């Protein structure tokens, strides 16, 4: 069970690592050390994967809350505009 968890964490961490390397390489960044990063992933994958997943979930939740808040503000603005036209003055 722990071996399966460890392997899943390693796969997840290497996927994230290589994705970041592609972004950095495309931006023209030099001085990458994939060997050292790979050693750290193998040693700390069991700890890095849950932390990264948790931070990603928090980021997604924050963006969703902001989008919902913006959507409700737009809805309130539209309702206010509609109500302004129906009042007899």
């Amino acid at each position: 069970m722990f071996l399966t968890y460890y392997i899943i964490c390693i796969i997840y961490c290497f996927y994230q690592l290589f994705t970041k390397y592609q972004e950095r390489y495309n931006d023209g960044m030099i001085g990458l050390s994939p060997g050292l990063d790979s050693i750290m992933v193998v040693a700390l994958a069991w700890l890095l994967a849950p932390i990264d997943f948790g931070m990603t979930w928090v980021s997604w939740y924050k963006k969703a809350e902001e989008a919902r808040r913006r959507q409700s503000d737009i809805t309130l603005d539209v309702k206010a505009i509609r109500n302004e036209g129906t009042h007899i003055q």
Side-chain angles (χ1 to χ4, degrees), residues 14-83:
F14 273 121
Y15 173 76
Q16 292 293 337
L17 183 67
F18 291 133
T19 303
K20 295 295 179 189
Y21 278 155
Q22 284 297 98
E23 291 172 6
R24 291 179 190 164
Y25 181 75
N26 290 337
D27 291 339
M29 185 173 175
I30 58 172
L32 299 175
S33 59
L36 182 61
D37 291 341
S38 298
I39 291 170
M40 293 306 293
V41 163
V42 170
L44 297 173
W46 61 275
L47 180 64
L48 293 173
I51 290 171
D52 184 57
F53 184 75
M55 290 174 58
T56 302
W57 184 83
V58 168
S59 173
W60 288 346
Y61 187 79
K62 182 181 175 184
K63 288 178 184 176
E65 282 294 320
E66 289 175 3
R68 184 171 24 171
R69 192 174 316 123
R70 274 188 253 117
Q71 181 65 31
S72 67
D73 289 344
I74 290 171
T75 305
L76 291 175
D77 290 342
V78 169
K79 286 180 182 178
I81 291 170
R82 286 182 183 160
N83 288 338

Side-chain angles (χ1 to χ4, degrees), residues 1-12 44-51:
M1 182 168 122
F2 291 115
L3 182 62
T4 305
Y5 170 74
Y6 181 68
I7 290 171
I8 290 170
C9 289
I10 286 178
I11 291 169
Y12 176 79
L44 297 173
W46 61 275
L47 180 64
L48 293 173
I51 290 171

